[in-house]
Amino acid sequence: MKLVEVTLRHLQMEMKSPFSTSFGTFQTKDFILLEARDEQGTVGYGESVAFSSPWYNEETFKTNWHMLEDFLIPMLLGKELQHPDEVNQLFSAIRKNNMAKSTIEGAVWDIYAQQTNQSLAQALGGTKDQIDVGISIGIQDSVEELIEVVRGYVEEGYKRIKVKIKPGWDVDVMRRLREAFPDVAIMADANSAYRLEDVELLKQLDAFDLTMVEQPLASDDIIDHATLQKQLSTPICLDESIHSLEDARKAVELGSTKIINIKIGRVGGLTEAKRIHDYCMEKGIPVWCGGMLEAGIGRAHNVALTTLPNFILPGDTAGSSRYWEKDIITPEVTVDHGVIHVPQQAGIGYAIDLEAVEQYTVMKKTYNLE
Ligand code: OSB
Ligand code: MG
């Protein structure tokens, strides 16, 4: 396989409803859709999960464009590859910028799966033909509204409800949610809104039988999380702190995390995501697939990754219609009683909807060999 042409598009899509976290609110999504063509004419797609502001991590839509245009695309154009894992190795010469790396690595995996006549799930070593999914719910204006929103998704069959918390929207919210839904799997995601000094407050969450609390402390921390975990009975799950297999190993060895949220973009691509999965499986650490409010291409990649056997807990990969009036793939990703049926065709198993893509395109640029 050898890439001969890459096109970057700036897509802009409006979310059906705003999504609020402890660090900010999302309404309009600006992101990069990457199309790569190899010398045999096979076309693969990748989606950047970087947001337009550096709130979740340091990357942005624009830093990803810069990294792709000035470094990553030139490194891959014309390069003969036997296997997508080689991309991870090649890119190790460039520090961080994991979401940018993942954007083009994902397209290479897509091409590889098509050319070896396997679904992306099979190409990754996936074993499931359906995956269990949960849903992540942003901070609402009132607890009453939150309960109504949760009720709707519980009725749709989502297998786990995650709610965002932040100081002032935490213990009381979780108490009332647990009272309203005594038997539902519920978890909380703080997106780094607390400090170790908040331990007494965080300990109060132990009363609500939460499946886990996600990333309570700083995004670059694995030391204080270990100290906190010793005082909590609720398992801690790290998200922002884990960028690589090495990060995962250190966090697990320190006891900073009992569960890991794997996001393909955050760890630099599917190859690294699979390595973290394999390591966690060996260590008895369950993993699940996180979400970045993806459009269809990123969502399809999440579906494929989640078919690996240690994705034991339901992920955040909800159906397309939870986010978008119209997604950029056909069919859209649909959830049936909390389950996504994994497509079996070669490649990602969802076709790009070029008409929708054109509609959302703000700008595009093509890069050729030579
Ligand atoms: O921390 O998992 C997160 C959305 C934006 C940024 C960070 C996170 C999230 C979510 C939503 O929780 C997951 C999704 O539905 O895609
Ligand atoms: Mg999170």
Side-chain angles (χ1 to χ4, degrees):
M1 169 185 11
K2 181 156 84 178
L3 300 190
V4 294
E5 186 180 281
V6 176
T7 298
L8 297 184
R9 287 175 187 259
H10 171 182
L11 264 58
Q12 188 174 74
M13 290 170 73
E14 285 302 316
M15 297 190 66
K16 271 187 176 173
S17 55
F19 187 92
S20 293
T21 70
S22 62
F23 55 76
T25 298
F26 299 89
Q27 171 71 74
T28 306
K29 172 131 174 157
D30 289 278
F31 65 98
I32 300 171
L33 178 70
L34 180 147
E35 180 186 299
R37 187 182 305 275
D38 100 314
E39 60 183 343
Q40 293 174 44
T42 312
V43 174
Y45 291 93
E47 177 177 326
S48 161
V49 297
F51 297 117
S52 34
S53 308
W55 294 333
Y56 169 82
N57 72 345
E58 73 287 358
E59 296 185 78
T60 67
F61 163 81
K62 283 191 183 173
T63 70
N64 274 215
W65 194 292
H66 159 56
M67 289 305 300
L68 284 159
E69 174 169 83
D70 294 328
F71 298 99
L72 304 173
I73 294 171
M75 279 173 86
L76 283 191
L77 274 179
K79 183 94 191 165
E80 186 63 47
L81 298 170
Q82 305 304 321
H83 191 276
D85 286 346
E86 291 164 30
V87 176
N88 182 287
Q89 179 58 35
L90 271 171
F91 287 174
S92 65
I94 291 177
R95 292 198 176 148
K96 294 276 200 95
N97 294 287
N98 285 351
M99 292 174 176
K101 291 173 178 173
S102 172
T103 308
I104 190 161
E105 193 246 28
V108 171
W109 269 102
D110 181 5
I111 292 172
Y112 172 78
Q114 293 176 59
Q115 293 188 344
T116 53
N117 200 28
Q118 312 173 75
S119 66
L120 180 59
Q122 280 176 313
L124 289 165
T127 52
K128 299 179 241 171
D129 59 10
Q130 59 174 57
I131 59 169
D132 287 347
V133 291
I135 193 158
S136 173
I137 297 169
I139 292 164
Q140 307 292 310
D141 292 334
S142 68
V143 183
E144 291 74 19
E145 277 170 71
L146 175 67
I147 289 174
E148 282 326 298
V149 172
V150 170
R151 194 181 308 287
Y153 290 124
V154 168
E155 281 167 6
E156 277 185 50
Y158 281 98
K159 303 223 168 181
R160 177 276 274 148
I161 300 292
K162 161 167 140 183
V163 298
K164 295 291 190 181
I165 56 170
K166 66 175 182 182
W169 178 268
D170 44 37
V171 176
D172 197 46
V173 174
M174 298 316 289
R175 175 180 299 115
R176 290 174 60 188
L177 199 60
R178 177 49 84 204
E179 281 166 8
F181 303 98
D183 304 320
V184 172
I186 299 175
M187 61 172 287
D189 184 0
N191 288 108
S192 296
Y194 299 89
R195 305 168 59 82
L196 193 51
E197 296 88 88
D198 299 315
V199 59
E200 290 308 321
L201 181 147
L202 293 167
K203 276 162 75 170
Q204 294 180 57
L205 297 175
D206 281 343
F208 313 131
D209 191 27
L210 303 181
T211 314
M212 69 195 92
V213 55
E214 185 178 346
Q215 195 73 38
L217 309 181
S219 66
D220 58 359
D221 169 77
I222 57 170
I223 305 292
D224 287 355
H225 278 106
T227 308
L228 177 65
Q229 182 67 88
K230 290 190 185 78
Q231 299 177 67
L232 290 189
S233 59
T234 307
I236 292 176
C237 168
L238 290 179
D239 171 358
E240 282 91 329
S241 294
I242 306 296
H243 309 100
S244 63
L245 170 59
E246 274 299 280
D247 285 352
R249 178 182 67 76
K250 289 167 187 169
V252 168
E253 285 184 9
L254 280 173
S256 325
T257 195
K258 291 187 175 162
I259 297 169
I260 292 182
N261 164 339
I262 300 183
K263 288 182 181 169
I264 303 165
R266 196 190 67 230
V267 304
L270 285 163
T271 295
E272 195 72 12
K274 183 172 158 52
R275 286 187 186 140
I276 295 171
H277 163 274
D278 294 351
Y279 168 79
C280 288
M281 187 150 135
E282 198 184 297
K283 295 292 170 190
I285 302 287
V287 304
W288 55 279
C289 184
M292 291 288 281
L293 311 171
E294 288 92 344
I297 297 297
R299 197 162 298 282
H301 285 244
N302 288 345
V303 169
L305 180 68
T306 307
T307 63
L308 297 179
N310 194 41
F311 281 84
I312 290 169
L313 296 158
D316 277 347
T317 308
S320 299
S321 67
R322 179 253 189 282
Y323 310 86
W324 317 113
E325 286 300 342
K326 183 167 179 35
D327 204 341
I328 57 171
I329 50 169
T330 53
E332 299 196 341
V333 173
T334 53
V335 173
D336 174 20
H337 296 92
V339 158
I340 293 173
H341 296 279
V342 181
Q344 304 298 314
Q345 306 94 289
I348 62 172
Y350 300 89
I352 190 93
D353 180 342
L354 278 173
E355 206 175 301
V357 168
E358 283 298 345
Q359 229 178 337
Y360 298 130
T361 298
V362 176
M363 168 181 71
K364 70 173 176 178
K365 192 166 171 187
T366 296
Y367 307 84
N368 288 295
L369 189 53
E370 120 255 281

